Amino acid sequence: MMRLPGMPMLPGAQFYDRGKRRHPRQQTLMHYQGIQMLSDRREPELVEPNGIVTDPKCPPVPAQINSLWAPKATTKLPPWLAYDKQVLCFSAYFKENLTEVYHAPYQVRKVRIYFYLEDGTMQVTEPKVENSGIPQGCLVHRQRIPRAPPTDREFISIFDLNVDTDIQIFDRVYHISGCDVFTRQFLNRAGIFVPEAQQEPNDPTTEIRKRSGLKQTAGSCSSAQPKKHSFAQFLEFDRRVLKFQGYWNDRSEFGDVRKLEICYYLADDTIDIKEKFPRNSGREGPSTFLKRGKLPKEFSGLPLPGQQTALTLLNVLGNSMRDVRYVADPLNTGQKQEQYYTDQDLQIGAVLNVFGRAVVLTGCDQFTQSYYREKYGIQEFCAQPIPERSDIRPYTQGGMGSRRLPPYNGWGSHEDSEGNCITVEPKPPQADFKKLFKYDGCILRFGAKLVSAIRDNGERDFVISYFLADDMVQIYESSRRNSGFLGGEFLKKARVPLPGQDMFSSSRPEYYRANDFYIGRTMTLKDHTFTLFRLTSLL
């Protein structure tokens, strides 16, 4: 359908093109400058390539406004893509009248005004002030805000926001006092002059709170001992534990040196102690030596029932059970103040009285060292030795520290014989898995000649293979026609001990290693002497 240019779409002003023969279906999807969109929709307003960088929905900037920088040339992009994640931030404040506070007629509330360039929306937030007593946070949610009447059908744009200006957002008037660096540069490039930042007025209510806080701190410093709130201590030192190592030397008839782990919890000044059971000690069950709780410094025995009470009685009046009256002591003169262990009493070498048992501290961990270094200035943390009883055999890896094995009898390998002597249920010897994975498939092969007084043996050719993964040696003989020797496997794959050792002793023998094989070496393998004369291959 066609119509006359410049004429409205009225009957008679449009006609059909009779000469059109091709009527393709209109395409609904299109790919425009790397953006997938619908072709039937109206294209968004674009940013002019040679124009200033401003919001496309705002009116053009007057030419007479001075600009600090030249206009910036940008690519032709839609506003939601050109100004994505670009926000103008302004600092502002407003005064709120107070009718319930006698010393302050008003209070100054400082806010942040955000203007989103991609869609022209605004948001007003108030930073939280400690002990302000008013709900703070987001005052105006993100939305397009209309102007003040009589132009309430229009929305606020970037031309309405500038430093040292008043702006009405709904029923409040905000005075803009400053902006950030990005906002100032953006407005200057757009041709808008931005004044210097202004100083915001002081809040009378904040000054009152500061004066009251100084009075409270001065009163607390004048007292002999400042109050220590338990919940504040819990919030400050929650999950922070001082860990010490120590021991208790039990000198009873069947006593022993008990290795302990002492934990001091900074959140509530409590202590718990756990015992470390040595291997093969025969002890089992829970390892709790002391349940978590405050540890008193002095212990004179368990108190009798009713010996410790919360009140001190001065007299009992009456002669019958129904008319009995008690006269309590309001000052609690007979009450005894209990002293408990604190972090000041814990240090390496200190002796703790754990309900009559002397526990000695011998060491601590890294966190405990840093804590005492920062708080008390202690720099040396030398661990102390733990005494050992003479009737306890020290444990070593494999149980071979103080045990003498019988001599080797020739059955199996030395490792199998040691396993039969150490445990009732022997386990197969474990190989060096790191070496096995590193050198798996790596073999050294040498050409060798047999050293013998027989002339025919000297003409025989051998290949000696050394396996790097498990230090085993294998010998093959190369077959030759009409030599009288069949060839094939001469020595099975096995570890070969060095000559000149006592094989029937209790100690393990030394075996051939990789450094024992080189060209020109003469070695004895299983009562046969070979000379290495060439390198066959290296895998």
Side-chain angles (χ1 to χ4, degrees):
M1 180 176 293
M2 302 178 61
R3 67 184 181 89
L4 297 177
M7 297 295 294
M9 296 186 67
L10 297 175
Q14 54 187 358
F15 58 92
Y16 291 95
D17 186 7
R18 302 297 181 180
K20 189 175 181 180
R21 296 292 183 267
R22 190 170 176 270
H23 302 274
R25 186 175 181 180
Q26 187 179 2
Q27 186 177 359
T28 59
L29 299 177
M30 65 179 298
H31 189 82
Y32 180 76
Q33 294 186 359
I35 304 172
Q36 290 79 10
M37 62 179 62
L38 295 174
S39 61
D40 57 345
R41 294 185 178 181
R42 182 183 177 184
E43 295 184 0
E45 300 178 6
L46 303 179
V47 180
E48 296 183 3
N50 297 325
I52 56 177
V53 183
T54 58
D55 190 353
K57 299 183 179 180
C58 298
V61 183
Q64 61 270 19
I65 300 180
N66 298 327
S67 176
L68 299 180
W69 287 281
K72 180 180 178 182
T74 59
T75 58
K76 216 171 186 182
L77 293 175
W80 54 268
L81 189 59
Y83 304 121
D84 184 28
K85 298 180 181 179
Q86 295 186 13
V87 184
L88 304 183
C89 179
F90 297 90
S91 301
Y93 66 91
F94 68 96
K95 295 182 180 181
E96 185 178 19
N97 296 328
L98 299 177
T99 57
E100 299 179 357
V101 181
Y102 176 75
H103 297 284
Y106 64 90
Q107 65 177 351
V108 178
R109 300 179 63 176
K110 301 176 183 180
V111 298
R112 296 275 185 177
I113 300 176
Y114 299 97
F115 186 87
Y116 296 86
L117 295 174
E118 57 182 349
D119 53 1
T121 56
M122 297 180 60
Q123 183 181 6
V124 181
T125 61
E126 181 180 6
K128 293 186 178 181
V129 180
E130 187 177 1
N131 298 328
S132 63
I134 55 177
Q136 296 171 328
C138 184
L139 300 182
V140 179
H141 292 276
R142 181 177 176 179
Q143 56 183 305
R144 299 194 69 183
I145 300 177
R147 295 179 180 178
T151 59
D152 52 350
R153 293 188 177 183
E154 300 178 358
F155 297 100
I156 297 177
S157 64
I158 59 174
F159 302 104
D160 301 324
L161 303 175
N162 205 340
V163 180
D164 195 14
T165 58
D166 294 335
I167 180 173
Q168 181 177 353
I169 299 177
F170 297 118
D171 58 343
R172 288 177 179 172
V173 178
Y174 300 87
H175 184 78
I176 301 177
S177 59
C179 63
D180 58 357
V181 179
F182 171 77
T183 304
R184 183 178 297 272
Q185 293 179 356
F186 185 87
L187 294 178
N188 288 333
R189 290 193 183 98
I192 302 175
F193 176 75
V194 181
E196 296 295 332
Q198 297 181 352
Q199 186 177 4
E200 298 179 349
N202 296 328
D203 185 14
T205 58
T206 305
E207 300 296 332
I208 294 174
R209 286 195 298 269
K210 289 182 179 179
R211 290 195 296 268
S212 62
L214 293 175
K215 291 181 180 179
Q216 292 179 2
T217 54
S220 61
C221 294
S222 60
S223 59
Q225 294 182 356
K227 294 183 179 180
K228 185 178 180 181
H229 202 282
S230 59
F231 188 66
Q233 180 183 359
F234 170 78
L235 295 178
E236 183 180 0
F237 298 104
D238 185 26
R239 298 184 181 182
R240 300 179 65 180
V241 183
L242 304 180
K243 186 176 293 185
F244 294 87
Q245 292 81 32
Y247 69 91
W248 171 51
N249 193 0
D250 187 6
R251 299 181 180 275
S252 60
E253 183 179 359
F254 301 100
D256 193 3
V257 178
R258 306 292 184 89
K259 297 181 180 180
L260 307 175
E261 185 179 83
I262 300 94
C263 296
Y264 181 85
Y265 299 87
L266 296 173
D268 52 0
D269 299 328
T270 56
I271 297 177
D272 70 341
I273 302 177
K274 295 181 180 180
E275 183 178 358
K276 296 181 180 179
F277 294 144
R279 296 172 63 99
N280 301 327
S281 62
R283 303 194 187 102
E284 61 180 0
S287 60
T288 303
F289 188 83
L290 176 67
K291 295 179 66 176
R292 181 176 175 179
K294 290 190 175 182
L295 181 62
K297 294 184 178 180
E298 298 180 0
F299 178 74
S300 58
L302 295 176
L304 298 177
Q307 184 176 354
Q308 293 181 352
T309 57
L311 298 176
T312 303
L313 298 181
L314 297 179
N315 199 354
V316 180
L317 304 178
N319 51 8
S320 63
M321 296 299 295
R322 295 182 178 179
D323 299 335
V324 172
R325 291 177 296 172
Y326 302 97
V327 179
D329 184 8
L331 301 178
N332 287 332
T333 55
Q335 186 178 5
K336 182 180 179 181
Q337 294 292 336
E338 194 78 29
Q339 298 292 333
Y340 298 97
Y341 281 104
T342 60
D343 56 347
Q344 301 178 0
D345 305 321
L346 304 181
Q347 58 182 348
I348 298 178
V351 181
L352 306 182
N353 183 10
V354 183
F355 297 102
R357 299 178 179 180
V359 175
V360 184
L361 305 182
T362 59
C364 58
D365 59 352
Q366 294 295 332
F367 171 75
T368 307
Q369 295 180 12
S370 61
Y371 175 81
Y372 279 93
R373 190 179 294 110
E374 295 176 1
K375 186 174 182 180
Y376 298 104
I378 301 176
Q379 300 296 333
E380 297 183 0
F381 300 92
C382 299
Q384 295 187 357
I386 300 177
E388 297 181 357
R389 296 178 63 94
S390 59
D391 56 345
I392 296 179
R393 179 177 299 174
Y395 173 79
T396 56
Q397 186 68 24
M400 299 292 295
S402 59
R403 180 177 298 181
R404 184 178 180 182
L405 298 177
Y408 175 62
N409 57 3
W411 292 92
S413 62
H414 287 76
E415 290 79 2
D416 293 336
S417 299
E418 290 179 0
N420 293 330
C421 299
I422 294 174
T423 59
V424 179
E425 297 180 359
K427 298 180 180 180
Q430 295 183 357
D432 190 356
F433 289 100
K434 292 184 179 180
K435 186 176 181 181
L436 181 63
F437 293 153
K438 184 177 181 181
Y439 297 106
D440 185 24
C442 298
I443 306 173
L444 303 179
R445 291 188 176 92
F446 297 88
K449 290 288 186 178
L450 183 62
V451 179
S452 176
I454 303 174
R455 181 179 178 180
D456 295 337
N457 291 339
E459 298 178 357
R460 300 166 64 180
D461 294 332
F462 296 89
V463 177
I464 300 177
S465 302
Y466 180 80
F467 299 85
L468 296 175
D470 49 6
D471 300 328
M472 290 191 178
V473 179
Q474 189 177 26
I475 303 177
Y476 270 86
E477 182 180 0
S478 301
S479 60
R480 288 173 31 180
R481 297 184 63 181
N482 300 327
S483 63
F485 300 98
L486 297 177
E489 188 177 28
F490 185 81
L491 178 64
K492 292 184 177 181
K493 183 179 177 181
R495 289 195 300 174
V496 180
L498 296 174
Q501 301 183 78
D502 186 9
M503 300 301 298
F504 298 97
S505 62
S506 58
S507 60
R508 295 184 182 181
E510 295 290 336
Y511 297 94
Y512 276 104
R513 302 294 180 185
N515 55 358
D516 297 327
F517 293 85
Y518 53 88
I519 297 176
R521 172 68 186 275
T522 301
M523 57 177 52
T524 302
L525 304 174
K526 294 292 185 179
D527 299 334
H528 292 81
T529 305
F530 296 90
T531 301
L532 308 181
F533 67 94
R534 63 185 174 88
L535 186 64
T536 303
S537 63
L538 177 61
L539 299 180

